[in-house]
Amino acid sequence: MSQIIGIMSQALDASSLRQKAISNNIANADTPNYKPQRVSFEDMLQQEIHSSFSGKRTNVKHIAIGNGSTIPSPKLVNEHTVMRNNRNGVDLDFEMTEMSKNSLWYQSLAYGMNEEFNLLKMSIKGRG
């Protein structure tokens, strides 16, 4: 499996987890003392891609180590913002906007994954 497909798969997982977190935030909009959840993935991915760690290759046939060789997993993070007197931190307008953005992002990733698999299928079968 190519690294692109691996990254896209992890991004789909992050988007799915983000959808669950946003839905949970909306469902708990009136729950006192509820702290909204966010998913952290893209920032961790960028840090991993730009990391300076790399392994020493003693032979050109060795696989390169480092510089984005691992893909981070998405993580849920609790926010500690307070929006209302009941100490609830959910802003419904923000959550609905994030849900729309996440839905578009998920659809784009799914389309991209489909195109990657179509390219692999075409390279395996051949053109004609």
Side-chain angles (χ1 to χ4, degrees):
M1 178 163 63
S2 74
Q3 181 130 6
I4 296 288
I5 292 174
I7 291 171
M8 291 177 81
S9 173
Q10 287 292 95
L12 279 168
D13 290 345
S15 184
S16 177
L17 185 61
R18 186 173 288 119
Q19 187 74 13
K20 289 177 188 174
I22 293 169
S23 297
N24 197 29
N25 291 344
I26 291 171
N28 288 293
D30 293 326
T31 303
N33 299 317
Y34 179 79
K35 305 296 183 244
Q37 298 175 326
R38 302 281 171 244
V39 174
S40 160
F41 174 71
E42 288 79 7
D43 294 335
M44 294 184 322
L45 180 61
Q46 285 299 321
Q47 288 174 355
E48 191 66 36
I49 288 171
H50 298 297
S51 72
S52 61
F53 174 78
S54 62
K56 182 179 179 184
R57 292 175 70 182
T58 56
N59 188 314
V60 293
K61 294 181 182 179
H62 291 168
I63 298 173
I65 301 170
N67 294 334
S69 62
T70 60
I71 303 167
S73 296
K75 297 200 179 357
L76 271 178
V77 178
N78 287 328
E79 283 193 347
H80 298 290
T81 57
V82 175
M83 302 295 288
R84 298 192 218 141
N85 288 340
N86 67 355
R87 302 187 50 80
N88 184 302
V90 177
D91 177 3
L92 281 176
D93 291 333
F94 177 78
E95 298 296 336
M96 295 304 287
T97 303
E98 288 298 303
M99 185 176 274
S100 295
K101 284 178 12 184
N102 188 56
S103 178
L104 286 171
W105 177 239
Y106 187 89
Q107 290 171 5
S108 299
L109 286 169
Y111 179 80
M113 279 284 270
N114 190 34
E115 290 300 309
E116 281 291 321
F117 283 121
N118 284 339
L119 287 172
L120 286 172
K121 191 171 25 173
M122 185 174 29
S123 66
I124 291 169
K125 287 183 178 179
R127 218 48 165 133

